[in-house]
Amino acid sequence: MKKNKIFILVLIILLLAPISSLAKKNSKKVIIFSIDSISMENIKELEIDNYGIGLFNSKSRKPYNEKNLYTSINIGRKISREKLVEEAKLEYMGDILKEENPVYIGDQNSNIKLLISDKNDKANGINHIEYDYEWLDKNIKKLLLESKLVALDYRILDQKNRLEILKKLIYQNRDNLIYIIPRTVHKSDKMYVNQYLLPILKIDKTNGVLMSSSTKRESLIALEDISFDIKENFKKENKFSIGKSIEIENKSNNLKDIEQIYKKSINMLYISYIFHGILYLSQGLILIYLLTNRLRKIAISTFIFTTNNIWITLIMSLIDIQYNLLLYLILIIIINTLITKEMIKNNKYVEKSIVLTYFLIVLGILFKTELIYNSYIGYNNLIYGARYYGFNNGIAAVLLASSIFTIIKVDDYINSEKLKKILIATIPIINLICLSTNFGANTGAFISAIILLILIYYNYLFSSKINIKTLIIFIIIGITIFAINIYYDSISLNKSHAIQFFERIKLNGFGEIYYMVTFKLKELIKLTIMPPFSIVLICQFIILKKLFVRNHIGIKIMLIVSLVGFIINDTGNILLVYMLNYLILALLIKNEYIKNTIVKI
């Protein structure tokens, strides 16, 4: 009898378990407070018990305005209303959530309806708002009876009473899913270098920081994630959206974490500007030296200093002191100056530092990504808002260039033919792993790495069997490698933007390709012709014309890969500048311009 009771109890639990699971997955009603701006101090004043907080970049497409921001959040893709691509299929929240009947509250001049509208810019709501708690509470409750999604255009305007009303409304509606999305940077945080990085709150009974597989970065989400997350709450398919769901990672002191990350992001931007600027300056100094035979010491020492900066900042990433901008800069300058003083005396030190750079990047991407992200060359500019995870084109360029340099040194200095072939064969494969979807996640650089592998194998390992048939085989191998990378991307839980692009091509056809290609091409042309990039590239090409060694295979390979990387990346100008920087360094060493340049520092 006792056994029968236990059996019945277990059976009941098993039958109820799926029901319980479904109950937990029921969608919540959603309230979106679209606010003008909010400071970290304001967030403290709201005194919310449990909430997720993160940072997002509000840049949509030019012109950067409220209409484009709302439309981009609505669709889940960065959009310019002035340049909507008719051929591309777009998902409007008002159409996808038609059954949920999204509604809004805003005054006559508000664009809030664009946040939840259908493809015809139509949405139901109240074209009037009163900043009175009773009025707002009553109307929110009324709308929630007939709708599952309410969006409010709520302007705080730094008024204490409005902040207090918002606090009460959040508390009163805490059983719903609430998003607090500012439109502009608060005046206390506004600065020339930051016009778009904003805090965002998701209130869902968990205290912590926001996470998204779009960014794979703690406390940071993408603009496109907001739409995806809202639709996912209502169990709607996101066929055309680029974003991913927003999770809350439990943290007890989430606001302090966000403040630290925000400060670090701003400091990293200053550091990047300074060190990129010095590198660009060094190209001009080298050109002046080669054309006039003047400024030899300062040109060579500045050039070596900028190259050292890359591997030194990679190592300094382990200390993670970017929160203190002045201390960080002082330490880097002192350490680099001392090392440059020694290196300038001997080419071999410079060569070894480039090999060291390669292995530091490989170790960082495979085992400790902070090594990459906390260095100026690997920093993904959150404020610019173009890339959030994986390798940017600067660090990808350094990986590819330093790997070619390492292969050249292997060929020059290792006597054992067997060991030489093993190393030369292995390095291009390591590059592919580092740039693959599971690690570097940079599709343009991955294609460049495939070209590099083909060229290295063709020239270094199969030089005695060079013919058209061999070349065709290598091209087929390259296509196969790319296909394998895309396949593993397609079956991974956290798909990259590259595979999402291919999936959208299936749905949208030519329109998606046209939209992406034209946008990327315009970005590449714009960035290439803009100073300082145009000036730096002109300097580099004049330098290369003067220094180029025609019969050196490794140098030719570096030039070919850099040009391929330039063409297939929207920020290929950055990849080209850094790869040519290493090519120039290799040529300076080859032509003995660096040898015995003693500099008093």
PDB file of all heavy atoms in Angstrom, residues 32-36 56 69 73 115 179-183 199-201 226 230:
ATOM      1  N   ILE A  32       7.374  49.891 -21.397  1.00  0.00           N
ATOM      2  CA  ILE A  32       8.619  50.539 -21.811  1.00  0.00           C
ATOM      3  C   ILE A  32       8.546  52.018 -21.440  1.00  0.00           C
ATOM      4  O   ILE A  32       7.658  52.733 -21.908  1.00  0.00           O
ATOM      5  CB  ILE A  32       8.853  50.416 -23.327  1.00  0.00           C
ATOM      6  CG1 ILE A  32       8.860  48.951 -23.756  1.00  0.00           C
ATOM      7  CG2 ILE A  32      10.162  51.101 -23.718  1.00  0.00           C
ATOM      8  CD1 ILE A  32       8.896  48.770 -25.270  1.00  0.00           C
ATOM      9  N   PHE A  33       9.470  52.457 -20.593  1.00  0.00           N
ATOM     10  CA  PHE A  33       9.606  53.884 -20.295  1.00  0.00           C
ATOM     11  C   PHE A  33      10.731  54.430 -21.172  1.00  0.00           C
ATOM     12  O   PHE A  33      11.912  54.177 -20.910  1.00  0.00           O
ATOM     13  CB  PHE A  33       9.928  54.118 -18.820  1.00  0.00           C
ATOM     14  CG  PHE A  33       8.789  53.830 -17.883  1.00  0.00           C
ATOM     15  CD1 PHE A  33       8.720  52.622 -17.203  1.00  0.00           C
ATOM     16  CD2 PHE A  33       7.788  54.767 -17.683  1.00  0.00           C
ATOM     17  CE1 PHE A  33       7.676  52.351 -16.327  1.00  0.00           C
ATOM     18  CE2 PHE A  33       6.732  54.509 -16.806  1.00  0.00           C
ATOM     19  CZ  PHE A  33       6.672  53.297 -16.135  1.00  0.00           C
ATOM     20  N   SER A  34      10.352  55.125 -22.241  1.00  0.00           N
ATOM     21  CA  SER A  34      11.360  55.783 -23.075  1.00  0.00           C
ATOM     22  C   SER A  34      11.597  57.162 -22.479  1.00  0.00           C
ATOM     23  O   SER A  34      10.740  58.043 -22.560  1.00  0.00           O
ATOM     24  CB  SER A  34      10.859  55.902 -24.514  1.00  0.00           C
ATOM     25  OG  SER A  34      11.752  56.685 -25.263  1.00  0.00           O
ATOM     26  N   ILE A  35      12.754  57.342 -21.861  1.00  0.00           N
ATOM     27  CA  ILE A  35      13.024  58.588 -21.139  1.00  0.00           C
ATOM     28  C   ILE A  35      14.059  59.428 -21.888  1.00  0.00           C
ATOM     29  O   ILE A  35      14.809  58.918 -22.721  1.00  0.00           O
ATOM     30  CB  ILE A  35      13.503  58.315 -19.699  1.00  0.00           C
ATOM     31  CG1 ILE A  35      14.769  57.465 -19.699  1.00  0.00           C
ATOM     32  CG2 ILE A  35      12.409  57.624 -18.901  1.00  0.00           C
ATOM     33  CD1 ILE A  35      15.338  57.225 -18.319  1.00  0.00           C
ATOM     34  N   ASP A  36      14.091  60.716 -21.587  1.00  0.00           N
ATOM     35  CA  ASP A  36      15.023  61.606 -22.274  1.00  0.00           C
ATOM     36  C   ASP A  36      16.466  61.273 -21.914  1.00  0.00           C
ATOM     37  O   ASP A  36      17.311  61.106 -22.784  1.00  0.00           O
ATOM     38  CB  ASP A  36      14.699  63.070 -21.984  1.00  0.00           C
ATOM     39  CG  ASP A  36      14.443  63.348 -20.503  1.00  0.00           C
ATOM     40  OD1 ASP A  36      14.268  62.388 -19.731  1.00  0.00           O
ATOM     41  OD2 ASP A  36      14.388  64.525 -20.121  1.00  0.00           O
ATOM     42  N   PHE A  56      24.211  50.316 -23.559  1.00  0.00           N
ATOM     43  CA  PHE A  56      23.982  50.065 -24.982  1.00  0.00           C
ATOM     44  C   PHE A  56      24.340  51.308 -25.765  1.00  0.00           C
ATOM     45  O   PHE A  56      24.358  52.418 -25.230  1.00  0.00           O
ATOM     46  CB  PHE A  56      22.533  49.633 -25.243  1.00  0.00           C
ATOM     47  CG  PHE A  56      21.547  50.767 -25.329  1.00  0.00           C
ATOM     48  CD1 PHE A  56      21.035  51.175 -26.555  1.00  0.00           C
ATOM     49  CD2 PHE A  56      21.111  51.430 -24.183  1.00  0.00           C
ATOM     50  CE1 PHE A  56      20.113  52.220 -26.629  1.00  0.00           C
ATOM     51  CE2 PHE A  56      20.196  52.467 -24.248  1.00  0.00           C
ATOM     52  CZ  PHE A  56      19.696  52.868 -25.488  1.00  0.00           C
ATOM     53  N   LEU A  69      16.209  56.150 -34.100  1.00  0.00           N
ATOM     54  CA  LEU A  69      16.444  55.324 -32.916  1.00  0.00           C
ATOM     55  C   LEU A  69      15.219  54.465 -32.625  1.00  0.00           C
ATOM     56  O   LEU A  69      15.331  53.248 -32.429  1.00  0.00           O
ATOM     57  CB  LEU A  69      16.773  56.214 -31.714  1.00  0.00           C
ATOM     58  CG  LEU A  69      16.887  55.491 -30.359  1.00  0.00           C
ATOM     59  CD1 LEU A  69      18.017  54.456 -30.382  1.00  0.00           C
ATOM     60  CD2 LEU A  69      17.102  56.490 -29.230  1.00  0.00           C
ATOM     61  N   ILE A  73      14.964  50.305 -32.857  1.00  0.00           N
ATOM     62  CA  ILE A  73      14.559  49.453 -31.737  1.00  0.00           C
ATOM     63  C   ILE A  73      13.331  48.643 -32.130  1.00  0.00           C
ATOM     64  O   ILE A  73      13.232  47.443 -31.830  1.00  0.00           O
ATOM     65  CB  ILE A  73      14.272  50.299 -30.478  1.00  0.00           C
ATOM     66  CG1 ILE A  73      15.557  50.956 -29.964  1.00  0.00           C
ATOM     67  CG2 ILE A  73      13.666  49.435 -29.372  1.00  0.00           C
ATOM     68  CD1 ILE A  73      15.354  51.927 -28.814  1.00  0.00           C
ATOM     69  N   LEU A 115       8.123  53.467 -31.920  1.00  0.00           N
ATOM     70  CA  LEU A 115       8.748  52.389 -31.162  1.00  0.00           C
ATOM     71  C   LEU A 115       7.959  51.090 -31.258  1.00  0.00           C
ATOM     72  O   LEU A 115       8.532  50.003 -31.177  1.00  0.00           O
ATOM     73  CB  LEU A 115       8.892  52.814 -29.696  1.00  0.00           C
ATOM     74  CG  LEU A 115       9.648  51.887 -28.753  1.00  0.00           C
ATOM     75  CD1 LEU A 115      11.104  51.750 -29.163  1.00  0.00           C
ATOM     76  CD2 LEU A 115       9.568  52.409 -27.329  1.00  0.00           C
ATOM     77  N   TYR A 179      11.139  47.962 -19.075  1.00  0.00           N
ATOM     78  CA  TYR A 179      12.383  48.450 -19.674  1.00  0.00           C
ATOM     79  C   TYR A 179      12.445  49.966 -19.481  1.00  0.00           C
ATOM     80  O   TYR A 179      11.442  50.660 -19.703  1.00  0.00           O
ATOM     81  CB  TYR A 179      12.435  48.162 -21.177  1.00  0.00           C
ATOM     82  CG  TYR A 179      12.444  46.700 -21.545  1.00  0.00           C
ATOM     83  CD1 TYR A 179      11.246  46.005 -21.713  1.00  0.00           C
ATOM     84  CD2 TYR A 179      13.636  46.017 -21.748  1.00  0.00           C
ATOM     85  CE1 TYR A 179      11.234  44.664 -22.069  1.00  0.00           C
ATOM     86  CE2 TYR A 179      13.645  44.673 -22.099  1.00  0.00           C
ATOM     87  CZ  TYR A 179      12.438  44.001 -22.261  1.00  0.00           C
ATOM     88  OH  TYR A 179      12.434  42.680 -22.610  1.00  0.00           O
ATOM     89  N   ILE A 180      13.599  50.454 -19.070  1.00  0.00           N
ATOM     90  CA  ILE A 180      13.831  51.900 -19.002  1.00  0.00           C
ATOM     91  C   ILE A 180      14.934  52.215 -20.006  1.00  0.00           C
ATOM     92  O   ILE A 180      16.090  51.815 -19.831  1.00  0.00           O
ATOM     93  CB  ILE A 180      14.211  52.359 -17.589  1.00  0.00           C
ATOM     94  CG1 ILE A 180      13.068  52.048 -16.620  1.00  0.00           C
ATOM     95  CG2 ILE A 180      14.532  53.854 -17.569  1.00  0.00           C
ATOM     96  CD1 ILE A 180      13.348  52.411 -15.184  1.00  0.00           C
ATOM     97  N   ILE A 181      14.560  52.927 -21.074  1.00  0.00           N
ATOM     98  CA  ILE A 181      15.476  53.148 -22.196  1.00  0.00           C
ATOM     99  C   ILE A 181      15.655  54.650 -22.421  1.00  0.00           C
ATOM    100  O   ILE A 181      14.744  55.328 -22.913  1.00  0.00           O
ATOM    101  CB  ILE A 181      14.930  52.500 -23.483  1.00  0.00           C
ATOM    102  CG1 ILE A 181      14.581  51.027 -23.239  1.00  0.00           C
ATOM    103  CG2 ILE A 181      15.949  52.634 -24.614  1.00  0.00           C
ATOM    104  CD1 ILE A 181      13.824  50.387 -24.392  1.00  0.00           C
ATOM    105  N   PRO A 182      16.808  55.204 -22.068  1.00  0.00           N
ATOM    106  CA  PRO A 182      17.064  56.631 -22.355  1.00  0.00           C
ATOM    107  C   PRO A 182      17.379  56.849 -23.834  1.00  0.00           C
ATOM    108  O   PRO A 182      17.801  55.930 -24.533  1.00  0.00           O
ATOM    109  CB  PRO A 182      18.266  56.958 -21.476  1.00  0.00           C
ATOM    110  CG  PRO A 182      18.943  55.658 -21.256  1.00  0.00           C
ATOM    111  CD  PRO A 182      17.922  54.578 -21.347  1.00  0.00           C
ATOM    112  N   ARG A 183      17.166  58.073 -24.293  1.00  0.00           N
ATOM    113  CA  ARG A 183      17.413  58.402 -25.695  1.00  0.00           C
ATOM    114  C   ARG A 183      18.724  59.163 -25.898  1.00  0.00           C
ATOM    115  O   ARG A 183      19.301  59.126 -26.982  1.00  0.00           O
ATOM    116  CB  ARG A 183      16.249  59.242 -26.237  1.00  0.00           C
ATOM    117  CG  ARG A 183      14.919  58.525 -26.204  1.00  0.00           C
ATOM    118  CD  ARG A 183      13.845  59.329 -26.919  1.00  0.00           C
ATOM    119  NE  ARG A 183      13.499  60.573 -26.229  1.00  0.00           N
ATOM    120  CZ  ARG A 183      12.602  60.661 -25.248  1.00  0.00           C
ATOM    121  NH1 ARG A 183      11.983  59.572 -24.820  1.00  0.00           N
ATOM    122  NH2 ARG A 183      12.327  61.822 -24.689  1.00  0.00           N
ATOM    123  N   PRO A 199      23.005  54.000 -20.275  1.00  0.00           N
ATOM    124  CA  PRO A 199      22.556  52.906 -19.406  1.00  0.00           C
ATOM    125  C   PRO A 199      21.160  52.440 -19.822  1.00  0.00           C
ATOM    126  O   PRO A 199      20.370  53.226 -20.361  1.00  0.00           O
ATOM    127  CB  PRO A 199      22.520  53.553 -18.017  1.00  0.00           C
ATOM    128  CG  PRO A 199      22.256  54.995 -18.289  1.00  0.00           C
ATOM    129  CD  PRO A 199      22.931  55.307 -19.604  1.00  0.00           C
ATOM    130  N   ILE A 200      20.863  51.173 -19.634  1.00  0.00           N
ATOM    131  CA  ILE A 200      19.532  50.633 -19.904  1.00  0.00           C
ATOM    132  C   ILE A 200      19.154  49.696 -18.758  1.00  0.00           C
ATOM    133  O   ILE A 200      20.004  48.964 -18.248  1.00  0.00           O
ATOM    134  CB  ILE A 200      19.478  49.901 -21.261  1.00  0.00           C
ATOM    135  CG1 ILE A 200      18.077  49.310 -21.492  1.00  0.00           C
ATOM    136  CG2 ILE A 200      20.557  48.835 -21.375  1.00  0.00           C
ATOM    137  CD1 ILE A 200      17.879  48.755 -22.885  1.00  0.00           C
ATOM    138  N   LEU A 201      17.899  49.742 -18.342  1.00  0.00           N
ATOM    139  CA  LEU A 201      17.427  48.912 -17.228  1.00  0.00           C
ATOM    140  C   LEU A 201      16.367  47.933 -17.710  1.00  0.00           C
ATOM    141  O   LEU A 201      15.488  48.287 -18.502  1.00  0.00           O
ATOM    142  CB  LEU A 201      16.828  49.772 -16.115  1.00  0.00           C
ATOM    143  CG  LEU A 201      17.785  50.389 -15.080  1.00  0.00           C
ATOM    144  CD1 LEU A 201      18.713  51.396 -15.735  1.00  0.00           C
ATOM    145  CD2 LEU A 201      17.010  51.039 -13.949  1.00  0.00           C
ATOM    146  N   ILE A 226      17.122  44.795 -27.951  1.00  0.00           N
ATOM    147  CA  ILE A 226      15.925  45.244 -27.230  1.00  0.00           C
ATOM    148  C   ILE A 226      14.672  44.686 -27.900  1.00  0.00           C
ATOM    149  O   ILE A 226      13.803  44.099 -27.253  1.00  0.00           O
ATOM    150  CB  ILE A 226      15.872  46.789 -27.161  1.00  0.00           C
ATOM    151  CG1 ILE A 226      17.119  47.335 -26.455  1.00  0.00           C
ATOM    152  CG2 ILE A 226      14.608  47.241 -26.432  1.00  0.00           C
ATOM    153  CD1 ILE A 226      17.300  48.838 -26.568  1.00  0.00           C
ATOM    154  N   ILE A 230      12.006  41.736 -26.394  1.00  0.00           N
ATOM    155  CA  ILE A 230      10.563  41.991 -26.204  1.00  0.00           C
ATOM    156  C   ILE A 230       9.744  40.948 -26.958  1.00  0.00           C
ATOM    157  O   ILE A 230       8.796  40.362 -26.418  1.00  0.00           O
ATOM    158  CB  ILE A 230      10.199  43.416 -26.675  1.00  0.00           C
ATOM    159  CG1 ILE A 230      10.835  44.456 -25.746  1.00  0.00           C
ATOM    160  CG2 ILE A 230       8.681  43.612 -26.708  1.00  0.00           C
ATOM    161  CD1 ILE A 230      10.785  45.875 -26.272  1.00  0.00           C
TER     162      ILE A 230
END
